[in-house]
Every structure is written in structure tokens, then in C-alpha cells.
Amino acid sequence: KAAGKKTFRVFTPDMEFRLYERVRLEGKLREALTEGKGLFLFYQSITDIETGRITAREGLIRWYHERRGWISPVEFVPVAEESGLIDELGIWVLNRACQDAAGWDDDVRVAVNVSAKQLGKGTLATNILTALVRAGLEPSRLEIEITESALLADELDCLADLRRVRDLGVRVALDDFGTGFSSLAHLRSFHFDKIKIDGSFVQDAIQRPDCAAIVGVLADLGKRLGVTTVAEGVETQAHLDLVRAEGCREVQGYLLGRPAPSSRDVPLVAALNRL
Ligand code: C2E
Ligand code: CA
Ligand code: CA
Ligand code: CA
């Protein structure tokens, strides 16, 4: 309709195929969730830049699809969000993360990505508490990460949910900081414990002094607010040197460790990768 009266769009075979693929993917994901098969939580370390100690591990979901092999969360998390499967997926991730973290050293937290679609329903804090109790994990060992670009700054129900989570003693991090339209408004409407500076700033900072300045300003902002800043996407020694010089507290990226399966899943993942 937007293209005007004289033109019209047909439902092309290509669109039909994509829709068909999507419906199939959704069905398979539902199956994977109900049978608990094919889903894995990989972990990537987050390191204190001064001491070199691991402070946390971030859980990153992976899906092995029987026909297509590994599918990226970038592809299937949106499918889960649009089909309503995200709540079930989120609960699966929370339970798995808390169980795994219960077996780690006490001073290492687990960070879990939470979709903005899981917020505003009044259920997140209960789901988190259930997962913690089941695993016997202290709330202070859990951190949730909310993606900035998906967060609506003044959505009251979302803020209420985040507050309930924080009241449990669970830490809340703002992910992909600097990529959204209202980064500072987010910091004003909620007290985050951590901000994660998007990897794109870190990677561009090597070539571009303006991007290095942004990283520095965000690190200062974190210091003044008493909030931990994490630089994401640290791939090289040059990246590490730069974010240290700019004052970031923690670092995450391929240089310090790639996302890897938990020890329980190592043999299965290795076998799948040999197929
Ligand atoms: P994110 O939360 O920003 O996670 C960081 C992404 O950067 C991960 O991609 C990670 O593998 C990748 N990465 C880590 N270090 C480096 C590096 O040095 N260089 C580069 N270029 N990339 C690096 P991944 O695992 O494909 O996840 C993509 C996104 O999917 C995540 O972005 C997150 O938004 C979402 N996601 C992952 N797991 C979950 C989950 O359990 N629940 C939800 N709701 N979303 C998830
Ligand atoms: Ca994240
Ligand atoms: Ca991120
Ligand atoms: Ca991201």
C-alpha cells in the first residue's frame, strides 16, 4: 500500500519459502525446548583487567539443528521472541546457567542474556528465583544482561521487573551500551550494576581516535556512577592495551577466551563438530 495505488506486491515464491522456513524453524525450536535436545549453553569468560582473574562467565546459547547444523542465536532468538517461545527459552537458559555455576568457584558469577521480551510481564523475578533455588545458587552469583537497543527507557512495567530482580540481590547489566538511541536515558531510569561497551566501539577505536574517545568517556562515566564497565569484543593485544589505557575495568573477547561448552557438553559438542 505504501508504494501507491498503481503498484502492488505479490507474495513471491521467495517470500513463501522464507515464511515456510521460519514456521519450520519455530516448530523445531519448540521440539528442542520440550525435549531438551540440541540446545547448549556455551560460556565466555569476563576478566578483571588489573588482576587478570575471571570475574564471571557469560552464557551464550547454541542450537544444533539436525538438518542444518549449528544455528546462531542471532537467527533463532528473534524467532523465539516473535513466536512467544522466548519465555520458555529464557527459563531453560536460566536453569542451565544456575546449575552450571553451582559447580564453579564461589567468586565466579554467571551472566545470562535476558531478552527485553521477557520483561514487563511480572514473571522474570519469579523465574529467576525458581532457577536459583533449584540450583542452590546464591543470588549474588547471578547477573542478567539486558540489550540496550531492545530496552524502552520509560516502559514502567519493564523497570518494575528489573527492580524486582535487583531486589533479589541479582546484578543487572546493560548490554551493547552505546548502540541504542537513548543510552543515557537508560542510565537515568535504572541503576545498572554494570555497563558493557559494545565491541564495535573497541574494534573501531584502533583506527579512529573519536571511537577511542567514546570508550574513554564511557569508562569515566562508569567510574563516576560507581558502575563496572566491561569492554566487549577484545580480539587483540592492541585492543586490550587500548581499553586498559581508556580505563575499562573488565574485558571480554576472543583474546581472553572464545565461547566454549561446559565440561559436561564437551564430548557431545566435539562429536557433533566431527559430523
Ligand atoms: P551479546 O550478548 O552481545 O554477546 C556477545 C556476542 O559476541 C556473542 O555472539 C559472542 O560469541 C561474540 N563475541 C565474543 N567475543 C568476541 C570477539 O572478540 N569478537 C567478536 N567479533 N565477537 C565476539 P553470539 O554467541 O553469536 O550471540 C549473539 C547474540 O545473541 C548475543 O549478543 C545476545 O544478544 C544473543 N544471545 C546469545 N545467547 C542468548 C540467550 O541465552 N538468550 C538471549 N535472549 N539472547 C542470547
Ligand atoms: Ca550479552
Ligand atoms: Ca554485547
Ligand atoms: Ca550484541
Short mmCIF file of all heavy atoms in Angstrom, two decimals, residues 1-10:
data_model
loop_
_atom_site.label_atom_id
_atom_site.label_comp_id
_atom_site.label_asym_id
_atom_site.label_seq_id
_atom_site.Cartn_x
_atom_site.Cartn_y
_atom_site.Cartn_z
N LYS A 1 0.82 -1.21 0.00
CA LYS A 1 0.00 0.00 0.00
C LYS A 1 0.85 1.26 0.00
O LYS A 1 0.54 2.21 -0.71
CB LYS A 1 -0.92 0.02 1.23
CG LYS A 1 -2.31 -0.45 0.91
CD LYS A 1 -3.22 -0.20 2.10
CE LYS A 1 -4.62 -0.72 1.85
NZ LYS A 1 -5.38 -0.89 3.07
N ALA A 2 1.94 1.21 0.75
CA ALA A 2 2.79 2.38 0.87
C ALA A 2 3.38 2.78 -0.48
O ALA A 2 3.70 3.93 -0.71
CB ALA A 2 3.90 2.11 1.87
N ALA A 3 3.49 1.81 -1.39
CA ALA A 3 4.11 2.08 -2.69
C ALA A 3 3.16 2.78 -3.65
O ALA A 3 3.51 3.11 -4.76
CB ALA A 3 4.62 0.78 -3.29
N GLY A 4 1.93 3.02 -3.26
CA GLY A 4 0.99 3.75 -4.11
C GLY A 4 -0.06 2.85 -4.72
O GLY A 4 0.01 1.63 -4.64
N LYS A 5 -1.03 3.50 -5.39
CA LYS A 5 -2.21 2.77 -5.86
C LYS A 5 -1.94 1.86 -7.05
O LYS A 5 -2.48 0.78 -7.19
CB LYS A 5 -3.29 3.78 -6.25
CG LYS A 5 -4.35 3.91 -5.18
CD LYS A 5 -5.51 4.76 -5.65
CE LYS A 5 -6.53 4.91 -4.53
NZ LYS A 5 -7.36 6.09 -4.71
N LYS A 6 -1.05 2.37 -7.95
CA LYS A 6 -0.89 1.66 -9.22
C LYS A 6 0.00 0.43 -9.11
O LYS A 6 0.09 -0.38 -10.01
CB LYS A 6 -0.31 2.63 -10.26
CG LYS A 6 -1.28 3.72 -10.67
CD LYS A 6 -1.75 3.50 -12.11
CE LYS A 6 -2.98 4.31 -12.47
NZ LYS A 6 -2.74 5.75 -12.55
N THR A 7 0.73 0.34 -7.97
CA THR A 7 1.62 -0.82 -7.85
C THR A 7 1.05 -1.79 -6.84
O THR A 7 0.27 -1.43 -5.96
CB THR A 7 3.03 -0.39 -7.37
OG1 THR A 7 2.88 0.24 -6.11
CG2 THR A 7 3.69 0.55 -8.36
N PHE A 8 1.40 -3.00 -6.96
CA PHE A 8 1.01 -3.98 -5.94
C PHE A 8 2.12 -5.00 -5.81
O PHE A 8 2.94 -5.18 -6.72
CB PHE A 8 -0.33 -4.63 -6.29
CG PHE A 8 -0.30 -5.43 -7.55
CD1 PHE A 8 -0.09 -6.81 -7.51
CD2 PHE A 8 -0.50 -4.82 -8.79
CE1 PHE A 8 -0.06 -7.54 -8.68
CE2 PHE A 8 -0.46 -5.55 -9.97
CZ PHE A 8 -0.25 -6.92 -9.90
N ARG A 9 2.18 -5.62 -4.65
CA ARG A 9 3.23 -6.62 -4.43
C ARG A 9 2.59 -7.99 -4.36
O ARG A 9 1.56 -8.18 -3.73
CB ARG A 9 3.96 -6.35 -3.11
CG ARG A 9 4.59 -4.98 -3.06
CD ARG A 9 5.96 -5.06 -2.41
NE ARG A 9 6.47 -3.73 -2.12
CZ ARG A 9 6.91 -2.91 -3.07
NH1 ARG A 9 6.90 -3.28 -4.33
NH2 ARG A 9 7.38 -1.72 -2.74
N VAL A 10 3.21 -8.90 -5.01
CA VAL A 10 2.70 -10.26 -4.92
C VAL A 10 3.51 -11.02 -3.87
O VAL A 10 4.62 -10.63 -3.52
CB VAL A 10 2.78 -11.02 -6.26
CG1 VAL A 10 1.73 -10.49 -7.22
CG2 VAL A 10 4.17 -10.94 -6.83
#
